[in-house]
């Protein structure tokens, strides 16, 4: 630690701190534009100037380290001043310089009310400007369907450039020209390709980069802000949902160091327009082969009749967006009816319902940064979990990190060794017939990431056994050191909660569909199941969900449910962290909360569930399944001393088919995203980009 005086206040700070960090530790406010805690230091806006005792002129506090400061002649600690007339004059001069070419369009700028330049010009600027020359104009840039550009407003802070190169790993933005001719642009004048690209909107301190879909929709003070959890993947990123009335207008990231830091994926941010399209807002019953709108009374009566038959001929499936409350209500209802066929693994993943470390991301998301060797098996984290991929890249940039991949080659934004595409490569690695085995075995914090592309196969159980044997042989699980490097990366927000609840008994999802097709199941209850082939005919299908997607098209009875932004719900992310999502708007039309629909249905069946409100339901869920009481807690290596990865899966032969990511199109993975016009435009742009690359490769 080093001592330093800031405006007369003595503080002890780490020697590696910058003066800006030291000043903030002392409680002094330092304005800045180019500096950002998660990006490299650029030092090019000069707004953070402070006076350092002994320095001939003001210094940029973001680029000057505490360890670079000289002590006084008698060993006195260095002194920094942030409020002197010299500092005030310097900041006013910098602000005046930044505003030379900035257009006076605050009243119509989308950044208005959330603009750092606007706020800091009021706090640190002069009352007037001395420049009378014409302002320069800069041509707009096309950055794709997400990011709107007004580059005349740009102050060249280069935050977007550094984010694209350092965090996203897609260095597509840069600066051209020098001095007054400097411009920020995409190198090839094309749409940004990163799945995290829209975070530059939050980073931009002026109105140069704003949200294209949100443009001119609302002002920030008009919006009701609700803290919630993302469900577009299994990471559980913390988000803020901004709504006006009954309409969700935008989704923004919320700071959580242990999960998403302050980033979110483009799908999380922009799929919100899918919440108002293709919605199920009233009950439907199929009559004479056609779905007909009906009343709740008739729909519940029809559903109760379909569920009143032989319990052995009834099944229930939970989809990727089902919340824990709805699955718990369905589980209790099916248990009361005597139904023993339930599954939440609709993608066919050969995952056991226990023990918990067998299906969790055990290193935790934050723990990825501690790993010194990573093996990715049947997963492309860039499209399955962009935020976890960014964590791997972060670790790769900061230290020597060996990364091996078994599966399809892809641009993961960091260098890796491709060990093979088929399970045979995993078998060789498990048997020690690969140099990468020694890297894993000798690593202090080794990590294996098993994706759904390896598990959702006919031989998924055998691949799981190979991965478990490799984990045991390489010593990936080290309970004495508090480390469990055996990780399963899920792609569905509902999957871990379903496995925690035990929503995986009897016939699997594929077996239930087959049984329904062959006449061995009479009724199938679907909780938002839209990602798999459904029964062709014969069985009665009851669908509870929010969107008119695949499940609703096949359904005989539709009971409209609430989307994730329209209900208080519990979600468990891939690392086993229990989080609460909160209602930002009310369900559309006659739609209701999923668990409330099941509670009403249980009453019709004479098997009334023992809870009438959300609090009672959650209390029973915690009592029956204690893991749900650990709110915002990731278990990590807890319980690893009783976990034997070598016992997972089943022995048997594996096929030569290559391991592929289950996600074909990052932007269209669920009903909400598929209903989004913005996601459709992103998908089209990505498809065009891939076509160009194929032509170039040929």
């Amino acid at each position: 630690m080093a001592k330093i005086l800031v405006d007369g206040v003595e503080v002890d700070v780490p020697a590696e701190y910058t003066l800006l960090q030291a000043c903030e530790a002392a409680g002094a406010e330092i304005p800045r534009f180019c500096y950002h805690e998660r990006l490299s230091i650029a030092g090019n806006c000069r707004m953070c100037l402070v006076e350092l005792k002994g320095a001939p002129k003001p210094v940029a506090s973001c680029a000057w380290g505490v360890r670079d400061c000289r002590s006084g002649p008698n060993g006195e600690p260095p002194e920094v001043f942030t409020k002197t007339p010299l500092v005030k004059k310097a900041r006013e001069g910098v602000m005046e310089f930044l505003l030379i070419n900035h257009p006076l369009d605050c009243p119509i700028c989308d950044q208005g009310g959330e603009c750092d330049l606007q706020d800091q010009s009021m706090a640190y600027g002069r009352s007037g400007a001395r420049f009378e020359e014409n302002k320069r104009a800069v041509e707009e840039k096309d950055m794709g369907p997400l990011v709107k550009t007004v580059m005349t407003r740009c102050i060249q802070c280069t935050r977007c450039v550094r984010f694209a190169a350092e965090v996203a790993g897609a260095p597509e933005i840069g600066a051209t020209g020098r001095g007054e001719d400097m411009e920020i642009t995409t190198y090839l004048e094309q749409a940004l390709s990163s799945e995290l690209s829209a975070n530059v909107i939050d980073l931009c301190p002026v109105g140069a980069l704003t949200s294209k879909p949100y443009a001119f929709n609302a002002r920030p003070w008009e919006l009701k802000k609700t803290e919630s959890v993302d469900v577009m993947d299994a990471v559980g990123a913390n988000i803020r949902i901004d709504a006006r009335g009954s309409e969700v207008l935008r989704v923004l990231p919320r700071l959580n160091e242990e999960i998403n830091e302050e980033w979110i994926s483009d799908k999380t941010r922009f799929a919100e327009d899918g919440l108002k399209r293709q919605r199920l807002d009233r009950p439907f019953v199929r009559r004479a082969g056609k779905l007909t709108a009906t009343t709740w009374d008739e729909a519940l009566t029809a559903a109760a009749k379909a569920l009143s038959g032989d319990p052995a001929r009834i099944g229930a499936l939970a989809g990727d967006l089902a919340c824990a409350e709805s699955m718990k209500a369905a589980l209790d209802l099916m248990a009361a009816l005597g139904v023993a066929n339930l599954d939440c693994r609709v993608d066919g993943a050969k995952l056991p319902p226990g023990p918990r470390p067998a299906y969790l991301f055990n290193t935790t998301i934050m723990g990825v940064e501690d790993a010194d060797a990573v093996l990715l098996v049947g997963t492309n984290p860039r499209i399955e979990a962009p935020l976890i991929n960014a964590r791997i890249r972060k670790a790769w940039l900061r230290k020597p990190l060996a990364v091996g991949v078994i599966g399809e080659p892809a641009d993961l934004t960091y260098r890796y060794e491709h060990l093979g595409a088929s399970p045979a490569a995993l078998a060789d690695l498990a048997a020690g017939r690969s140099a990468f085995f020694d890297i894993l075995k000798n690593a202090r914090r080794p990590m294996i990431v098993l994706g759904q592309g390896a598990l959702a196969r006919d031989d998924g159980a055998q691949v799981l056994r190979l991965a478990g044997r490799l984990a045991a042989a390489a010593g990936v699980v080290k309970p004495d050191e508090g480390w469990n490097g055996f990780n399963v990366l899920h792609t569905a927000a509902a999957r871990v909660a379903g496995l925690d609840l035990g929503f995986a008994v009897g016939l699997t999802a594929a077996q239930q569909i087959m049984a329904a097709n062959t006449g061995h199941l009479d009724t199938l209850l679907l909780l938002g199941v839209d990602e798999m082939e459904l029964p062709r005919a014969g069985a009665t299908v009851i669908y509870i969900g929010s969107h008119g997607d695949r499940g609703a098209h096949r359904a005989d009875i539709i009971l409209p449910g609430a989307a994730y932004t329209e209900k208080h719900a519990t979600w468990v992310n891939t690392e086993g962290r229990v989080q609460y999502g909160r209602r930002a708007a009310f369900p559309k039309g006659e739609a209701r909360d999923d668990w409330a629909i099941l509670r009403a249905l249980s009453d019709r069946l004479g098997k009334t569930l023992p809870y009438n409100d959300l609090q009672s339901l959650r209390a029973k869920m915690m009592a029956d399944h204690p893991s749900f009481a650990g709110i915002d807690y990731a278990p990590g290596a807890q319980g690893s001393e009783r976990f034997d990865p070598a016992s997972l899966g089943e022995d048997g032969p594996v096929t030569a088919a290559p391991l592929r990511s289950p996600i074909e199109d990052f932007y269209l993975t669920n009903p909400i995203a598929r209903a989004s016009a913005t996601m459709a435009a992103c998908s089209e742009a990505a498809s065009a980009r891939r076509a160009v690359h194929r032509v170039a490769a040929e």
Side-chain angles (χ1 to χ4, degrees):
M1 302 291 281
K3 291 186 182 297
I4 188 168
L5 285 169
V6 179
D7 294 331
V9 178
E10 183 177 297
V11 291
D12 290 323
V13 296
E16 61 270 17
Y17 264 29
T18 63
L19 286 185
L20 188 150
Q21 292 171 306
C23 290
E24 293 198 331
E29 181 180 340
I30 306 295
R32 84 292 301 266
F33 292 114
C34 69
Y35 176 80
H36 192 277
E37 292 81 357
R38 302 188 195 280
L39 303 176
S40 62
I41 294 172
N44 54 9
C45 79
R46 320 308 285 181
M47 193 64 204
C48 63
L49 292 174
V50 296
E51 183 178 353
L52 178 62
K53 188 174 183 179
K57 60 182 179 180
V59 300
S61 60
C62 71
W64 195 288
V66 171
R67 59 160 52 98
D68 300 323
C69 298
R70 292 183 298 176
S71 301
N74 299 315
E76 301 95 336
E79 287 192 64
V80 177
F81 304 96
T82 68
K83 301 175 182 177
T84 61
L86 177 65
V87 172
K88 182 176 185 294
K89 182 179 180 181
R91 290 176 180 171
E92 287 178 351
V94 169
M95 179 61 69
E96 189 175 12
F97 180 75
L98 290 174
L99 293 175
I100 289 175
N101 288 311
H102 197 78
L104 304 177
D105 54 5
C106 290
I108 54 95
C109 176
D110 253 9
Q111 197 85 350
E114 298 172 312
C115 178
D116 291 347
L117 183 63
Q118 193 178 52
D119 295 341
Q120 292 185 39
S121 65
M122 293 294 293
Y124 303 102
R126 291 167 52 90
S127 59
R130 291 171 290 178
F131 292 91
E132 299 178 354
E133 292 81 1
N134 292 331
K135 296 178 181 288
R136 77 165 186 169
V138 180
E139 184 180 351
E140 307 309 343
K141 309 298 186 295
D142 181 11
M143 293 192 180
L146 302 181
V147 181
K148 176 187 174 185
T149 64
V150 185
M151 301 312 293
T152 302
R153 301 171 184 161
C154 180
I155 62 170
Q156 289 86 41
C157 71
T158 69
R159 280 187 180 183
C160 56
V161 177
R162 285 173 284 149
F163 173 83
E166 297 165 12
V167 179
E172 301 166 320
I173 307 177
T176 62
R178 293 175 63 83
E180 189 181 17
D181 296 325
M182 182 177 177
E183 295 183 18
I184 302 297
T185 180
T186 53
Y187 288 120
L188 300 178
E189 293 284 341
Q190 64 182 17
L192 302 176
S193 64
S194 171
E195 293 76 17
L196 299 171
S197 66
N199 287 289
V200 299
I201 295 169
D202 297 330
L203 288 173
C204 185
V206 297
L209 304 177
T210 56
S211 170
K212 187 175 287 188
Y214 175 71
F216 308 119
N217 277 351
R219 288 297 193 185
W221 53 84
E222 299 177 307
L223 304 175
K224 173 190 172 187
K225 302 167 179 64
T226 305
E227 295 184 351
S228 191
V229 179
D230 172 46
V231 301
M232 294 293 123
D233 55 28
V235 174
N238 285 202
I239 59 175
R240 192 188 85 194
I241 302 170
D242 288 359
R244 183 174 59 189
S246 61
E247 184 179 0
V248 173
L249 293 181
R250 66 176 180 178
V251 173
L252 298 176
R254 193 158 50 90
L255 179 67
N256 189 316
E257 294 288 355
E258 298 184 7
I259 304 176
N260 58 302
E261 296 180 306
E262 58 190 86
W263 321 122
I264 54 174
S265 73
D266 294 348
K267 181 167 54 178
T268 299
R269 186 186 297 267
F270 288 114
E272 41 73 28
D273 64 318
L275 293 167
K276 55 189 177 186
R277 294 185 174 90
Q278 298 182 13
R279 291 301 304 270
L280 300 174
D281 58 359
R282 65 187 69 178
F284 288 84
V285 173
R286 191 176 297 276
R287 298 190 178 100
K290 183 179 179 180
L291 284 171
T292 306
T294 187
T295 64
W296 269 108
D297 183 65
E298 291 182 3
L300 289 173
T301 300
K305 181 179 178 181
L307 292 170
S308 299
D310 182 359
R313 299 177 66 84
I314 298 174
L317 300 175
D320 292 352
L321 300 184
C323 63
E325 285 83 358
S326 64
M327 287 188 283
K328 176 58 176 172
L331 186 71
D332 290 349
L333 177 58
M334 294 298 109
L337 294 173
V339 175
N341 299 315
L342 304 98
D343 200 4
C344 62
R345 302 161 299 184
V346 294
D347 59 356
K350 309 302 187 294
L351 277 172
R356 226 176 166 219
Y359 56 81
L360 292 185
F361 200 92
N362 294 295
T363 62
T364 71
I365 295 171
M366 194 174 184
V368 169
E369 297 179 27
D370 297 328
D372 47 7
V374 177
L375 175 66
L376 305 175
V377 182
T379 179
N380 180 346
R382 179 170 176 177
I383 60 174
E384 295 173 27
L387 295 170
I388 291 181
N389 195 67
R391 289 272 190 178
I392 298 175
R393 174 175 170 79
K394 183 178 179 182
W396 176 76
L397 286 172
R398 292 186 173 184
K399 61 185 177 184
L401 178 67
V403 182
V405 171
I406 297 178
E408 58 184 346
D411 178 9
L412 298 179
T413 73
Y414 41 83
R415 287 191 297 273
Y416 60 85
E417 181 181 351
H418 188 242
L419 305 173
S422 71
L426 182 60
D428 289 341
L429 196 56
R433 295 191 295 269
S434 171
F436 201 83
F437 175 82
D438 295 328
I439 294 176
L440 279 177
K441 189 172 180 62
N442 297 328
R444 197 171 69 89
R445 289 285 188 266
M447 188 172 91
I448 296 175
V449 180
L450 197 59
Q452 302 305 299
L455 298 169
R457 299 162 42 108
D458 292 338
D459 60 352
Q462 288 72 38
V463 175
L464 178 59
R465 173 58 60 92
L466 290 174
R469 285 178 175 172
L470 171 60
V476 168
V477 182
K478 302 179 180 183
D480 294 340
E481 301 178 22
W483 179 261
N484 184 345
F486 184 84
N487 297 319
V488 174
L489 179 57
H490 292 277
T491 57
R495 193 63 41 79
V496 174
L499 293 170
D500 284 347
L501 290 167
F503 206 99
V505 295
L507 298 178
T508 66
Q511 290 170 341
Q512 288 188 43
I513 300 302
M514 184 180 297
N517 283 331
T518 56
H520 292 89
L521 278 187
D522 296 331
T523 304
L524 206 55
L525 175 66
L526 306 181
L527 292 179
V529 178
D530 296 286
E531 312 304 329
M532 67 179 300
E533 292 295 332
L534 296 173
R536 294 184 295 273
T540 299
V541 175
I542 304 169
Y543 179 81
I544 300 176
S546 60
H547 281 71
D549 207 272
R550 180 182 292 177
H553 291 169
R554 171 57 191 89
D556 299 295
I557 303 167
I558 295 177
L559 307 177
Y564 78 103
T565 58
E566 300 163 358
K567 59 185 175 183
H568 298 289
T570 302
W571 307 95
V572 187
N573 74 348
T574 190
E575 61 180 351
R577 186 187 301 270
V578 179
Q579 300 184 101
Y580 287 152
R582 294 174 177 84
R583 174 182 289 157
F586 284 93
K588 306 299 181 187
E590 299 178 33
R592 296 291 182 268
D593 284 6
D594 303 30
W595 75 265
I597 295 171
L598 291 162
R599 169 63 176 76
L601 185 56
S602 71
D603 199 42
R604 295 295 178 101
L605 288 162
K607 305 288 184 181
T608 304
L609 295 175
Y611 31 78
N612 294 318
D613 53 47
L614 184 65
Q615 289 70 28
S616 301
L617 170 54
R618 284 180 172 171
K620 188 173 191 309
M621 186 164 63
M622 292 179 187
D624 295 347
H625 313 278
S627 65
F628 284 92
I631 308 301
D632 199 26
Y633 167 71
Q638 184 182 27
S640 297
E641 62 277 358
R642 299 182 299 277
F643 173 57
D644 178 18
S647 65
L648 299 175
E650 300 174 3
D651 284 322
V654 293
T655 67
L659 302 175
R660 300 185 182 279
S661 171
I663 295 179
E664 296 180 0
D665 191 328
F666 167 75
Y667 299 102
L668 305 175
T669 55
N670 59 62
I672 298 174
R674 286 191 288 272
S676 165
T678 305
M679 291 297 97
C682 290
S683 177
E684 184 178 352
S687 179
R689 189 165 52 246
R690 288 192 296 268
V692 170
H693 290 168
R694 280 196 299 270
V695 171
E698 294 171 357

